[in-house]
Amino acid sequence: MSDKIAYARHGDVAVLTVKNPPVNALSQAVRQGLWDGMDRAEADAGVRAVVIVGEGRAFFAGADITEFGKPLVEPNLPALINRIEASPLIVVASMHGVSLGGGLEVALGCHYRIAVPSARVGLPEVHLGLIPGAGGTQRLPRLTGVEAGLDVMTTGRHVGASEAHDLGIIDVLQDGDPAENGLAYAQKLLDESAPRRAVSEMDPPAPVDWDAAFEATLARSKGQISPAWCVRAVQASVEKPFAEGLKAERQIFFDLMQTDQREGMIHAFFSERAVGNLPELKGVAAREFDHIGVIGGGTMGAGIATAALLSGLRVTLLEMSAEAGEAARSRIAANLAGSLKRGKISPAQHDQILGETLSVVTGYDALAGADLVIEAVFEDMDVKKVVFAELDRVCKPGAILASNTSYLDIDAIAATTSRPGDVLGLHFFSPAHVMKLLEVVVGALTAPDVAATGFALGKRLGKVSVRAGVCDGFIGNRILSTYRIAADHMILDGASPYEIDAALEAFGFAMGPFAVADLAGLDIGYAVRKRKRMEGLDPRARDAAYADKLCEDGHFGQKTGKGYYDYAAGSKARVPNPDVMPLIEAERAAQGLKPRAFGSEEIVRRYMAAMVNEAAKVVGEGIARRPLDVDMTLLFGYGFPRYRGGPLKWADMVGLDALLADIKGYAEEDPYFWEPAPLLKDLVATGRTFDDLNKEG
Ligand code: 3H9
C-alpha cells in the first residue's frame, strides 16, 4: 500500500489515515492508497466500517493541482469515489481543517460525515476555471437542494462547519481529535445498525429555471465562464440518472480543462504563492517588528495604520498638528467601524485598538521605539527628505525606514540618511487596508534582511507582496502610465474614453482606465504630466493635453462630482460628462488629426500590446525579477481579470510572435512609443515564453 495512507484496525472499524503534507492533496499515490485501503478493509475479516481521516492541517485540499494539464494516471478520482460509495462497509469521513474540491467530493462519496466545528468545506474549482469534476455537482445538490448547492459551487466560498451542518452536508459536529471522533461515530453507527447511505441513491432535487440561472450566473461572473457551467452540470443531476449526470459533469470538466481561463487561473493560483518566494531571500531572516510608526494620516496613512492595527501590530501615527491628528484618528475609526460591521474584529478588539494599540502624536520623538516606520506624506522629494532626516535623527538603530512613495527614487531618499541599508519602499494601494497588493521596493543599498522584513510585514498584513526595483513608478505605475498613454493616443486618433472603458471592461477589467482615473482623482495624472513636461518631453513623444483642461476647470473625477463621467446621479450611474468630447475634439483639431473609428478588438489589442511591451521592459531591466511578479502586480493592484492570469500569461497564450508583429505594425506610425522591448524580441527569436522565464526562477 502507498506510504501516503496508514491502515489501522480498531475492533471492527478500519481507519485510513491520509499522510500527504502540507494539505493532503489527492495525488495519484493518495488515490491509489485509498483504493488499496478500501480493498484491504473489505478483505479484512470482521471489519464492518471504515473511517477516512487526514493527518496534519486538513482532511483534503482537493485534487492535486500540479497534476492538471499532464496525462491522467489511474485511478481517477471519480472512479475512486464511486468505489468508496459502493463499498458494502459503512464509510465515514471525519473532517477537520479544509475539505475542498475533490476533498469534499470524497466526503460526499462516504456514507456519513462528521467534522470538528472549526472545519471548512467548499467546492472552489471555479477559482481554477473549472467545475467540480468528481461528482460534486451531482451529489451536493442531493443534500442541499439546487439553490444552496449552486451558491456553494458558483462562489467557491469556504463554508463553515456549522453552516455546512445546517445545509445537510455534515451529519454531526464534534469537538476533539478527528480520528477518535470518526472511530466513535463509526462504532455508534454500527451499534445502531445504521444503513449504508449513498448520496447517489438519494432523490435528485427539484428543478429550477435552468436557462435563467445560467444567464444570471454568467452575468455575475464578469466574463468568467466556469460558474455558469456549474448550472448546466447541476441541471444534469436533476434531469439524468446519476451515472449519466456524472458523465455530463466529467465532459464539462474536461472541456473547461482545455480553456485559457483554466490555464490563467491556475497560473494565478501558483504565482500568488510564488511571488513572495524570492530565491535571493532564501534563508535571510527578517528583523523583528511589533511597533509600527506611520507618518501622515491622510487616506493612505490612515489605511496603512488600519491594516497594521487589524493585524495586531502597535501603531504610532504622526501628524503635523493636534487637529490633523484628530482627523487621522477619525479616518482610522471609520475604517475600523467597517471591519467591525463585517465581523472582522470583535467589539472588544475594536475598543482596544482605538483605546490602547493606536497612539496619535505630533512629535517625532515618539517614534524612537518604533521597529519600522512608514512615511505616507505628500509626494514631493523635498518634503520626504525632511521627514527622513528627522527619522534618521530619532529612530533606534536597526529600525526600518520605509517610504510609501508611488514613483519617487528610493535610492535618493535613502542617500539623505546615515543608514541607507535600512531604507526601502513599501508601496501600498488605496484603500491600503483593503487592497491586497504591496510593492516592496528594494533600493541599491537596501540590506537583504530589510527586504525580507518588507515581505514579512506584507505577510502579516495579508498582502500579496511583490519585489520591485527602483524606477519611475516601480512595476505597476510604470506599466500603467504606458498603457494610459496608449489609451490617450487612441483618443487623439478617434476613440472615445467611453468606447475604451467599455472595450476593456468587456475584456474583464473591473473598471476601464477612465473610470479608474475618475476614482483615483484626475489630479494625480495631471501632476505626473506636468512633472514630466517640466523634466522635458522627448520631442518624438505625442502629448495629449485635453485632460489638463478638465482639471483646470476643477473637475478631478468622483471627488468633485465630475471627470470623464458626471456623478450627479451617483458613482454607479456612469453618465458621460458632456464637456469631455468637445475638449477632445478641440485637441484633435488643434493637432490637425483626422479621427477614425476604433472597434473594441483593436482597442484591446493596442492597450494590451502597450502593457505587455512595457512589462517586458520592466522584466528585462530587472525591475521585476520574473514575469509572474508583473502578473501578480496587475492582478492585485490594477483590476486585471484573474481568469486571464496576468498580462504576461495572457501574452503567452495569445502568442508572443503575433503580439510582436502587432507592436512592429504600430511602430510604423509611432516608432518612439512602440519601440519593441528587447526581451520580447529575444523570446520570440528563441521560441520561448514568459512562463519559461518563471520556471527558470
Ligand atoms: C479539484 O479538486 C478538482 C476536482 O473537483 C476534480 C478532479 C478530477 N494541489 O495556500 P497555501 C499547496 S481542484 C496541489 O500556501 P494555506 C500550495 O501550492 C482543487 N498543491 O496554504 C502550497 O505549496 P507551496 C480544488 C496544493 O494554509 C501549499 O500547498 N481545491 C493544493 O494558506 C500550502 O498552500 C482547491 O482549489 C492542491 N489542491 O491555504 C484548494 N492546495 O508551499 C486550493 C494547496 O509549495 N488550495 N497546495 O507554495 C487552497 O485554497 C489553499 O492552499 C488551502 C491552504 C486553503 C488548502
Side-chain angles (χ1 to χ4, degrees), residues 204-225:
V208 298
D209 180 340
W210 300 110
D211 289 347
F214 182 87
E215 291 305 330
T217 312
L218 200 57
R220 263 201 313 273
S221 314
K222 299 194 172 108
Q224 201 200 326
I225 56 173

Side-chain angles (χ1 to χ4, degrees), residues 12 21 39 61 75 227 312 419 454 463 504 521 639:
D12 39 15
D39 284 352
R419 36 176 138 178
K463 305 289 179 204
L504 290 157

